[in-house]
Amino acid sequence: MMMLIDCSGCRTPLQLPHGAPCIRCAICGAVTHVAAAAPPPAHGDPARGAAGPGAVAPQHQAPGWGPPPPPAHGRKRAVICGISYKFSRHELKGCINDAKCMRHLLTTRFHFPDDSIIMLTEEQTDPYKIPTKHNIRMAMYWLVQGCQPGDSLVFHYSGHGAQQRNYSGDEVDGMDETLCPLDFETQGMIVDDEINTALVRPLTPGVKLHALIDACHSGTALDLPFLCRMNRSGQYVWEDHRPRSGVWKGTSGGECISFSGCDDDQTSADTSALSKITSTGAMTFCFIQAIERGQGTTYGSILTSMRSTIRSTGDSMGSGGGAVTSLITMLLTGGSVNSGGLKQDPQLTANEPFDVYAKPFSL
């Protein structure tokens, strides 16, 4: 059983193996010591504060969302996060629709049990299921905790994404990608280094995690080591994004594959141009459509289908484009802006390279 504590340096939640006296943070390098006399609590949030000089008491365990977790082996679990930022100048129209559609896809097409899915949206009445920074962190921890061979895990995020300067030298473009929780203006954003530590590093052999990130600047949002660089003809090469510092960004033997809405320097659309009925995230809509139309046999077929749909929609929209949800632009303008069509290229990243046209897709 792993316990979650906050790093004494940067306050990032860290997974502490049972009985370990301390843990080093992969992000800031600080060593956090845990008092041996402070065992993990049985329920709820434990008391905060130090238990001695240089010691930090355990901070919290994942809250018990809903029913008991499913059986220990062969589990299917998912965290689905849709944030509309309602009543703010950053408001998005399609993200909660994305979350509901993704849940329907997982339960009907891929047979995920209802009680194995955590939905984080502003519509939730349970305070643990509002998509705040703390709740998203805890949901990520819940998703991977105790993972076993045969587990299939899904993390879906639809909301704002952004970038910030990277000072550790582990980013090819010098920028960290971030997700923007509901309370990002007061609590800050969730950086790709933390997402990698929380979702990617804990994956052990036999465990598979798929991430679907429908946000701006999301190409390498999980900081995975390899990116599939594909051209318009469907030809591709795997780019090596492993940090020059040697910091390990892969799994602990498991498998992690991520679809994202656009490249790191692009924005993702929140638009009604695709469904013709209601607003959706372009990436989520095109991913679900690829599956429903039988184009989800391989990772390559999904990626090419998504790109083709967005490209054809963008061309047909001309100058009457939908709203592009660039957080930076919205901060400057106070709202969504119109674009000359959809200009985004969904991306595929993974913990190791593979033949995208030969590897079958499955959840």
Side-chain angles (χ1 to χ4, degrees), residues 133-261:
K133 183 176 183 178
H134 173 77
N135 286 347
I136 294 174
R137 281 174 159 179
M138 297 302 286
M140 290 192 294
Y141 168 72
W142 171 88
L143 184 63
V144 300
Q145 68 169 329
C147 55
Q148 300 288 334
D151 287 359
S152 176
L153 314 176
V154 171
F155 178 76
H156 174 261
Y157 172 90
S158 180
H160 278 304
Q163 289 181 305
Q164 64 183 35
R165 179 66 60 186
N166 169 267
Y167 295 99
S168 65
D170 65 356
E171 291 283 350
V172 173
D173 60 358
M175 301 293 287
D176 280 322
E177 285 63 54
T178 64
L179 302 183
C180 302
L182 181 61
D183 55 355
F184 75 94
E185 290 183 293
T186 58
Q187 299 303 310
M189 300 180 287
I190 302 176
V191 183
D192 53 6
D193 298 297
E194 177 181 344
I195 300 169
N196 182 275
T197 300
L199 290 180
V200 179
R201 292 285 296 276
L203 301 176
T204 51
V207 179
K208 180 190 299 183
L209 182 139
H210 287 90
L212 303 157
I213 311 296
D214 197 346
C216 295
H217 312 294
S218 56
T220 60
L222 266 68
D223 245 4
L224 289 165
F226 298 97
L227 181 143
C228 178
R229 184 67 68 188
M230 181 178 287
N231 64 21
R232 283 185 168 232
S233 301
Q235 299 170 314
Y236 71 93
V237 294
W238 284 97
E239 289 183 354
D240 189 341
H241 283 240
R242 287 175 291 186
R244 293 188 297 271
S245 64
V247 173
W248 179 242
K249 293 291 186 174
T251 68
S252 297
E255 183 176 18
C256 184
I257 299 173
S258 175
F259 287 99
S260 53

Side-chain angles (χ1 to χ4, degrees), residues 2-21:
M2 288 191 176
M3 179 174 60
L4 201 67
I5 66 170
D6 284 343
C7 169
S8 58
C10 65
R11 314 308 296 171
T12 297
L14 305 174
Q15 297 180 18
L16 183 76
H18 179 69

Side-chain angles (χ1 to χ4, degrees), residues 19 37 55 88 110 148 191 197 215 261 265 279:
S88 80
F110 296 104
Q148 300 288 334
V191 183
T197 300
D265 61 353
S279 293

Side-chain angles (χ1 to χ4, degrees), residues 39 41 51 68-70 75 84 102 112 116 122 158 184 202 231 243 319 326 334 356:
R75 289 178 298 184
S84 69
M102 185 57 62
F112 276 63
S116 72
E122 291 111 307
S158 180
F184 75 94
N231 64 21
S319 61
S326 168
V356 300

